[in-house]
Amino acid sequence: MSPDAVELNFSRSEYADRLLKTRMAMQAAELDCLIITDPANMAWLTGYDGWSFYVHQCVIITLAGEPIWYGRGIDVNGAKRTTYLSDDNIIEYPDYYVQSEDRHPMDYLAQILGSKGFGSFSIGVEMDNYYFTAAAFASLVRNLPNANFKDCNNLVHWQRSVKSEQELSYMRKAGKIVEVMHQRIRETIRPGLRKHELVAAIYDAGLRGVPEYGGDYPAIVPLLPSGIDASASHLTWNDKPLKSGEGTFFEIAGVYRRYHCPLSRTVFLGKPGQDILDSEKAVLEGLAAGLEKAKAGNLCEDIAIAFFAVLEKHGIIKDSRTGYSTGLAYPPDWGEHTMSLRKGDKTVLQKGMTFHFMPGLWSDDWGLEITETIAIGENGPELLSSVPRELVVIS
Amino acid sequence: MSPDAVELNFSRSEYADRLLKTRMAMQAAELDCLIITDPANMAWLTGYDGWSFYVHQCVIITLAGEPIWYGRGIDVNGAKRTTYLSDDNIIEYPDYYVQSEDRHPMDYLAQILGSKGFGSFSIGVEMDNYYFTAAAFASLVRNLPNANFKDCNNLVHWQRSVKSEQELSYMRKAGKIVEVMHQRIRETIRPGLRKHELVAAIYDAGLRGVPEYGGDYPAIVPLLPSGIDASASHLTWNDKPLKSGEGTFFEIAGVYRRYHCPLSRTVFLGKPGQDILDSEKAVLEGLAAGLEKAKAGNLCEDIAIAFFAVLEKHGIIKDSRTGYSTGLAYPPDWGEHTMSLRKGDKTVLQKGMTFHFMPGLWSDDWGLEITETIAIGENGPELLSSVPRELVVIS
């Protein structure tokens, strides 16, 4: 299999830039080695793409040379098909390490790191990543007793904060897809339609995308609870008919080559109550106020403070965060776990950062979400998709 | 919100049985308390269902009383909508603990456990679970220095091994859905069709299900690499046209109320090479030999040994596992991480255990998967779906 046959999503020089940025951050953190377990970080650094994160795998970075991909034997061909790495830097563990109660894939990795002379290195690990379990860390500590492990949970995530032009172009494509998805919802939704049929329509739109390109799978499945269920923020679906007199929020994302453009809208079947209409007004005004602050030089919290100030004016007190950094993602989250739009987040906004500005209001009887995904610009945000910003009422 | 309004997927007495089984296992392991972070285990014990596992959450079990659900504030309504738990036993942490670099939701949980007098308990944790990170464990150990933490990684998973009649009925429904999905593939696939359009058709079939009931999301998205990409076992899709002269395997599952029936088939467009036809023959014969061993009283490895013996007879040497326990699941895996169909797994098969018997062959140029999901019976297996067992050739 020739590496020439691999079609990467980015130029080799973009991958080289990413590696350089990562190494600069490693040096600042006094690390000799990084063990990267987050699938989005693995993809961002090497191109690796596949649904193999349900078994242990990682990318190893040191201060020189190519990264090393480490994973299960049957995934080696996937690494060869999707990364720029030479075959020498794609290392497998035997299949009897998979989901075994007697041995752990990190035992085997520790041997490899030891044999490469990394046994006394300062090694950064992603302590709070889904794909770096307590057992994985315990294995490394047990098997490399002279290594100095440091928590660098979001070190690579932070390098991903400012998107390149190519990344932004993928997110704009994802934005076009989410436009089509919301359009399909408006065309399809009606009382009596069973919820799972609506989900089928949403997936159909999201996957078919636009004539020029198709869609990828989202890191979160559509969330679309109705009525009182919409008081809960993360319910999925059932096969019951939609009812008149109920609102449904749609928290969905368009996805192109693993880049996400999340966008939520709420649809009410019938005549919404005054409390929902009042909330819509507050959220729309708050969104506009927040967007005005979404420019380079301001802080993440400035957007949240502007938004919450408007809500407070309308008598709504809310303290959960109102957005987060987004982009390249794998399940279970399309958020990047770095910047949040909330009070106290003093990160300075830079051109090319991308956020899901995500005001959600959940009362005890209903939920309302009207959101935007934006790229920070010098003078204001770029909206990465264009969907009418309103509570959709279908009477 | 009245708990009466909650529609559980199982009877209260079934949940009580599950809790009792779990407590007996806790006593055998000398545990006072269990912290359950696996979403499928949380659902199995309490009914909880929602896409909230991207933030820290868990279910706490002690030797008496109701389980306790612990999670993010905005997910409390989801717990109220989907579990049988009383409001007192649904405990939230404040939103500023979410994805913060300064504090961890397990810090807050440790305070609660301490205040309940659990500070010196023997506490079981799921060390190798995706949703129990190295940081989560470090927080608990730091904040509860007198507790005795024990790894009970698969303790609850093992209680789920033998399915109840209600669980089997859900898996049979999932089996009907995967039949419809494979039927749709046969009807739709042709050279020139773009891959993402085929994925849209598969999702459409899987979600629409059958007239009586709809489908749920699978814990793994469809895997359907073609040609040389099918040499890799876990690639997803792109938007390129399917080509004549290439095989594509479809690793997919029907899902009903989070219960899975995975089933793979392979489709070849054009005339398959003799090597693929030979492999098909070996796999079909091996499957049949393995199925003969799939009855109560035999061991997990008996199925694998019978299968591999047939392959060896055909000159194919393979050592990866050839199946695993399956059922209730959340991303990123529909396997249960307990029993594997591989040499060395001496677990005794019992009536009602369910497996994805999953022979996959990946050469350097192509891949072939023909699989079955089965329930173990006294005298042989029940096939949970009925899809023609063959390499589908479309010329």
Side-chain angles (χ1 to χ4, degrees):
Chain A
M1 212 177 301
S2 153
D4 298 338
V6 174
E7 286 179 42
L8 297 166
N9 288 334
F10 296 92
S11 68
R12 289 296 300 271
S13 76
E14 184 159 345
Y15 287 110
D17 287 348
R18 295 171 177 185
L19 198 53
L20 183 64
K21 279 172 73 175
T22 301
R23 284 185 169 137
M24 287 169 65
M26 285 172 68
Q27 285 182 309
E30 299 184 348
L31 293 171
D32 306 307
C33 176
L34 264 183
I35 298 179
I36 296 302
T37 42
D38 184 275
N41 289 342
M42 290 175 67
W44 188 76
L45 287 164
T46 70
Y48 183 66
D49 182 35
W51 191 289
S52 55
F53 39 84
Y54 73 92
V55 295
H56 290 282
Q57 57 178 22
C58 58
V59 163
I60 315 290
I61 311 274
T62 54
L63 294 171
E66 255 188 7
I68 294 167
W69 180 96
Y70 173 74
R72 183 181 181 185
I74 65 169
D75 291 315
V76 159
N77 280 341
K80 291 184 180 174
R81 298 297 302 156
T82 60
T83 74
Y84 60 80
L85 302 175
S86 62
D87 289 2
D88 289 351
N89 291 317
I90 296 174
I91 300 180
E92 70 184 78
Y93 59 82
D95 213 65
Y96 52 83
Y97 279 89
V98 173
Q99 295 171 3
S100 160
E101 301 200 330
D102 304 319
R103 57 190 78 82
H104 198 282
M106 290 293 161
D107 300 345
Y108 194 83
L109 177 65
Q111 286 175 37
I112 293 169
L113 296 181
S115 72
K116 285 181 180 289
F118 299 179
S120 56
F121 273 16
S122 237
I123 301 177
V125 289
E126 298 177 299
M127 286 292 285
D128 208 22
N129 197 272
Y130 312 108
Y131 302 104
F132 191 66
T133 63
F137 185 50
S139 164
L140 289 174
V141 169
R142 189 172 58 242
N143 288 291
L144 294 171
N146 299 316
N148 175 22
F149 289 99
K150 293 187 182 177
D151 184 7
C152 65
N153 192 42
N154 282 337
L155 186 144
V156 176
H157 291 78
W158 277 106
Q159 311 315 312
R160 289 163 39 201
S161 302
V162 175
K163 270 63 181 176
S164 70
E165 260 316 306
Q166 181 82 330
E167 289 181 297
L168 287 172
S169 81
Y170 287 172
M171 290 181 74
R172 288 183 196 110
K173 286 183 169 176
K176 289 285 173 207
I177 293 175
V178 83
E179 289 173 15
V180 174
M181 294 165 78
H182 281 288
Q183 183 60 32
R184 186 76 70 87
I185 291 168
R186 284 177 183 235
E187 289 164 6
T188 311
I189 193 169
R190 56 177 167 72
L193 180 70
R194 291 167 72 190
K195 184 70 70 76
H196 69 286
E197 297 177 308
L198 185 54
V199 175
I202 293 169
Y203 265 103
D204 190 72
L207 290 165
R208 289 185 192 278
V210 298
E212 296 77 23
Y213 51 86
D216 205 346
Y217 63 89
I220 303 177
V221 297
L223 305 175
L224 64 167
S226 301
I228 190 173
D229 279 342
S231 68
S233 46
H234 295 112
L235 298 188
T236 52
W237 62 85
N238 56 29
D239 53 14
K240 303 230 164 65
L242 290 156
K243 288 183 204 160
S244 194
E246 289 190 342
T248 304
F249 68 75
F250 294 86
E251 187 168 343
I252 56 178
V255 193
Y256 180 73
R257 299 193 183 196
R258 312 281 350 110
Y259 280 82
H260 288 64
C261 182
L263 195 120
S264 305
R265 288 292 180 270
T266 304
V267 179
F268 200 94
L269 298 178
K271 191 172 150 45
Q274 194 57 42
D275 50 350
I276 299 185
L277 294 173
D278 290 346
S279 295
E280 178 202 13
K281 196 169 167 228
V283 164
L284 291 181
E285 197 183 318
L287 255 174
L291 288 173
E292 273 193 28
K293 299 290 181 186
K295 57 186 172 190
N298 282 348
L299 310 182
C300 278
E301 70 169 6
D302 292 337
I303 299 173
I305 289 168
F307 172 74
F308 288 126
V310 170
L311 286 201
E312 211 172 311
K313 200 183 75 183
H314 287 267
I316 302 167
I317 306 298
K318 192 176 177 306
D319 74 341
S320 64
R321 63 182 186 159
T322 191
Y324 44 79
S325 187
T326 189
L328 177 65
Y330 286 83
D333 196 9
W334 60 47
E336 289 188 336
H337 296 204
T338 47
M339 299 167 280
S340 287
L341 304 181
R342 63 179 157 196
K343 288 176 200 171
D345 192 322
K346 311 268 184 204
T347 315
V348 179
L349 297 172
Q350 295 178 54
K351 184 170 186 287
M353 287 178 169
T354 47
F355 294 92
H356 186 203
F357 181 14
M358 204 282 175
L361 288 182
W362 299 278
S363 84
D364 272 348
D365 301 311
W366 48 263
L368 177 77
E369 294 187 4
I370 301 176
T371 78
E372 294 287 357
T373 288
I374 58 174
I376 301 297
E378 292 298 347
N379 303 308
E382 173 189 352
L383 301 181
L384 292 176
S385 60
S386 172
V387 177
R389 203 186 297 163
E390 61 187 0
L391 171 71
V392 181
V393 176
I394 294 180
S395 52
Chain B
M1 210 176 304
S2 151
D4 298 337
V6 173
E7 286 180 43
L8 297 167
N9 288 333
F10 296 91
S11 68
R12 287 298 299 272
S13 75
E14 184 159 346
Y15 287 110
D17 286 347
R18 295 171 178 185
L19 198 54
L20 182 64
K21 278 173 72 174
T22 301
R23 283 185 169 138
M24 286 170 65
M26 286 172 68
Q27 285 183 308
E30 299 183 350
L31 294 170
D32 307 306
C33 176
L34 264 184
I35 298 179
I36 295 303
T37 42
D38 183 275
N41 289 343
M42 291 174 66
W44 188 77
L45 287 164
T46 70
Y48 183 66
D49 182 36
W51 191 289
S52 55
F53 40 84
Y54 74 92
V55 295
H56 290 282
Q57 59 179 20
C58 58
V59 163
I60 314 290
I61 311 274
T62 54
L63 293 173
E66 255 189 8
I68 295 168
W69 180 95
Y70 173 74
R72 184 181 181 185
I74 64 170
D75 291 316
V76 159
N77 280 341
K80 291 183 181 176
R81 297 299 298 158
T82 60
T83 73
Y84 60 80
L85 302 176
S86 62
D87 289 3
D88 288 352
N89 289 318
I90 295 174
I91 301 181
E92 69 184 78
Y93 60 83
D95 214 65
Y96 53 83
Y97 278 89
V98 174
Q99 296 172 2
S100 161
E101 300 200 331
D102 304 320
R103 58 190 78 83
H104 198 283
M106 290 292 160
D107 300 346
Y108 194 84
L109 176 65
Q111 285 175 38
I112 293 169
L113 296 182
S115 72
K116 286 182 180 286
F118 300 179
S120 56
F121 272 17
S122 237
I123 301 178
V125 289
E126 298 177 299
M127 287 291 284
D128 208 21
N129 197 271
Y130 312 108
Y131 302 104
F132 190 67
T133 64
F137 185 50
S139 164
L140 289 175
V141 169
R142 191 172 57 244
N143 288 292
L144 293 172
N146 300 318
N148 175 21
F149 289 99
K150 292 187 183 177
D151 183 7
C152 64
N153 192 43
N154 282 337
L155 186 144
V156 176
H157 291 78
W158 278 107
Q159 311 315 313
R160 288 162 41 203
S161 301
V162 175
K163 271 63 183 176
S164 71
E165 259 316 305
Q166 180 83 327
E167 288 181 297
L168 286 173
S169 81
Y170 287 173
M171 290 181 74
R172 288 183 196 113
K173 285 183 170 176
K176 289 285 174 210
I177 293 175
V178 83
E179 289 172 15
V180 175
M181 295 166 78
H182 280 289
Q183 182 61 32
R184 186 75 70 87
I185 291 168
R186 285 177 182 234
E187 289 164 6
T188 311
I189 193 169
R190 57 177 167 72
L193 180 71
R194 292 167 72 189
K195 183 71 70 78
H196 68 286
E197 297 177 306
L198 185 53
V199 175
I202 293 168
Y203 265 103
D204 190 72
L207 291 165
R208 290 186 192 277
V210 298
E212 297 75 25
Y213 52 86
D216 204 345
Y217 63 89
I220 303 177
V221 297
L223 306 174
L224 64 167
S226 301
I228 190 171
D229 279 341
S231 69
S233 45
H234 295 111
L235 299 188
T236 52
W237 62 85
N238 55 29
D239 53 14
K240 302 230 165 65
L242 290 157
K243 286 182 205 162
S244 193
E246 289 190 343
T248 304
F249 69 75
F250 295 86
E251 187 167 342
I252 57 179
V255 193
Y256 180 73
R257 299 195 183 194
R258 311 282 349 109
Y259 280 81
H260 288 64
C261 182
L263 194 121
S264 305
R265 288 292 180 268
T266 304
V267 179
F268 200 95
L269 299 177
K271 191 174 151 42
Q274 194 57 43
D275 49 351
I276 299 185
L277 294 173
D278 291 346
S279 296
E280 179 204 11
K281 195 169 169 228
V283 164
L284 292 181
E285 197 184 319
L287 256 174
L291 289 172
E292 275 192 26
K293 299 289 181 186
K295 56 186 171 191
N298 281 348
L299 310 182
C300 279
E301 69 169 6
D302 291 336
I303 299 173
I305 289 169
F307 172 73
F308 288 126
V310 170
L311 286 201
E312 212 172 309
K313 199 183 76 181
H314 286 267
I316 302 166
I317 306 298
K318 193 174 177 304
D319 74 342
S320 63
R321 62 182 187 158
T322 191
Y324 43 78
S325 187
T326 189
L328 176 64
Y330 286 83
D333 195 8
W334 59 47
E336 289 188 336
H337 295 204
T338 47
M339 300 167 279
S340 288
L341 303 181
R342 63 179 157 195
K343 288 175 200 173
D345 192 322
K346 310 267 183 206
T347 315
V348 178
L349 297 172
Q350 295 177 54
K351 184 169 186 288
M353 288 179 169
T354 48
F355 294 92
H356 186 203
F357 181 13
M358 203 282 177
L361 287 182
W362 300 278
S363 84
D364 273 349
D365 301 311
W366 48 264
L368 176 76
E369 293 186 4
I370 301 175
T371 77
E372 294 287 358
T373 288
I374 58 173
I376 301 297
E378 292 298 346
N379 302 308
E382 173 188 352
L383 300 181
L384 292 175
S385 61
S386 171
V387 177
R389 202 186 298 162
E390 62 188 359
L391 170 71
V392 181
V393 176
I394 294 180
S395 54

